[in-house]
Amino acid sequence: DQQVKQNSPSLSVQEGRISILNCDYTNSMFDYFLWYKKYPAEGPTFLISISSIKDKNEDGRFTVFLNKSAKHLSLHIVPSQPGDSAVYFCAASQGGSEKLVFGKGTKLTVNP
Amino acid sequence: DAGVIQSPRHEVTEMGQEVTLRCKPISGHNSLFWYRQTMMRGLELLIYFNNNVPIDDSGMPEDRFSAKMPNASFSTLKIQPSEPRDSAVYFCASRRGSRENQPQHFGDGTRLSIL
């Protein structure tokens, strides 16, 4: 049973436009969420995180939004750049646990 | 700072052989995690250690898999005997566990192919 779901396997956007990646979770005990970016033949790299006490966290071009009532979070990238083309993973943990549960990822392609 | 270092990067071996994957965590990180990535199941946690002690091995698929962390700077994941269904990318990650909400840092993985 997947507790963290990324329902779009892929997404394609034009350079300069906004990319929106979505993630849904089923476990209401999750209280910390992270996004990782992964290039081919490399390990996932931490991008941005958000605690459940917040509904938004911003870092440069990257913003994560959390909607606890809908058990949904999203990652916005504005403006999108070709170098952002990668697979993006959503992950969640609960109660200070070190265990992360990952979604299966969304492959983002930013076209020049 | 050096990141998490995994070796080998690629391993191709025949069914039934023993496979040993190695990981050197980031210095100062006291938590270490082993993950497996497959198309079907995505990225799944196999086992993690805190201060060299295994904390949760519930993700280890079966007794053919074992992991050790003899000291703070080295860990191994062993598969014996290996089977074709073990073919996957195996990642190691480490984290500074003493501070809250610290992210895990991943190595570049070992791509394992069992023929």
Side-chain angles (χ1 to χ4, degrees):
Chain A
D1 182 31
Q2 263 194 292
Q3 296 186 69
V4 177
K5 299 178 184 180
Q6 295 178 255
N7 292 319
S8 298
S10 63
L11 174 68
S12 182
V13 299
Q14 282 301 118
E15 181 178 5
R17 305 295 292 267
I18 185 171
S19 294
I20 300 176
L21 297 105
N22 294 303
C23 178
D24 297 295
Y25 60 96
T26 57
N27 186 345
S28 59
M29 299 301 290
F30 286 147
D31 57 7
Y32 184 59
F33 305 88
L34 307 89
W35 285 94
Y36 280 81
K37 178 170 74 173
K38 184 184 181 304
Y39 293 120
E42 295 184 9
T45 303
F46 170 71
L47 194 56
I48 192 170
S49 63
I50 187 167
S51 165
S52 61
I53 61 174
K54 296 184 176 181
D55 54 18
K56 175 183 174 182
N57 190 26
E58 192 172 351
D59 184 1
R61 296 185 298 113
F62 302 90
T63 303
V64 56
F65 295 91
L66 175 62
N67 182 333
K68 289 186 290 292
S69 60
K71 296 192 183 69
H72 177 83
L73 63 157
S74 60
L75 175 67
H76 292 211
I77 307 173
V78 183
S80 301
Q81 300 173 353
D84 296 329
S85 297
V87 177
Y88 289 78
F89 292 95
C90 170
S93 68
Q94 68 179 73
S97 169
E98 296 196 85
K99 289 178 67 170
L100 292 181
V101 179
F102 282 84
K104 289 192 173 182
T106 297
K107 183 177 182 179
L108 173 66
T109 302
V110 181
N111 301 302
Chain B
D1 279 345
V4 175
I5 299 173
Q6 292 186 245
S7 65
R9 289 297 312 275
H10 303 272
E11 174 89 15
V12 181
T13 192
E14 291 190 347
M15 182 175 68
Q17 296 297 307
E18 178 178 292
V19 173
T20 299
L21 310 181
R22 296 172 175 81
C23 176
K24 177 179 169 57
I26 294 172
S27 177
H29 284 194
N30 59 343
S31 295
L32 183 140
F33 307 80
W34 282 101
Y35 289 88
R36 179 172 66 177
Q37 185 184 27
T38 60
M39 290 292 291
M40 287 292 293
R41 300 175 67 88
L43 197 61
E44 53 181 346
L45 178 67
L46 301 177
I47 184 172
Y48 83 93
F49 296 82
N50 186 268
N51 293 323
N52 313 336
V53 176
I55 302 300
D56 188 333
D57 65 355
S58 59
M60 295 286 261
E62 47 196 277
D63 291 346
R64 297 184 297 106
F65 286 68
S66 63
K68 293 182 180 179
M69 192 164 185
N71 57 63
S73 59
F74 183 66
S75 178
T76 59
L77 178 68
K78 190 171 292 188
I79 308 173
Q80 166 64 17
S82 57
E83 296 182 4
R85 60 191 167 123
D86 302 330
S87 298
V89 181
Y90 290 80
F91 289 101
C92 176
S94 70
R95 174 180 181 267
R96 192 185 303 275
S98 57
R99 295 180 62 187
E100 202 172 300
N101 293 344
Q102 288 293 301
Q104 295 178 19
H105 297 261
F106 283 76
D108 285 338
T110 295
R111 181 172 294 276
L112 177 63
S113 297
I114 309 297
L115 306 178

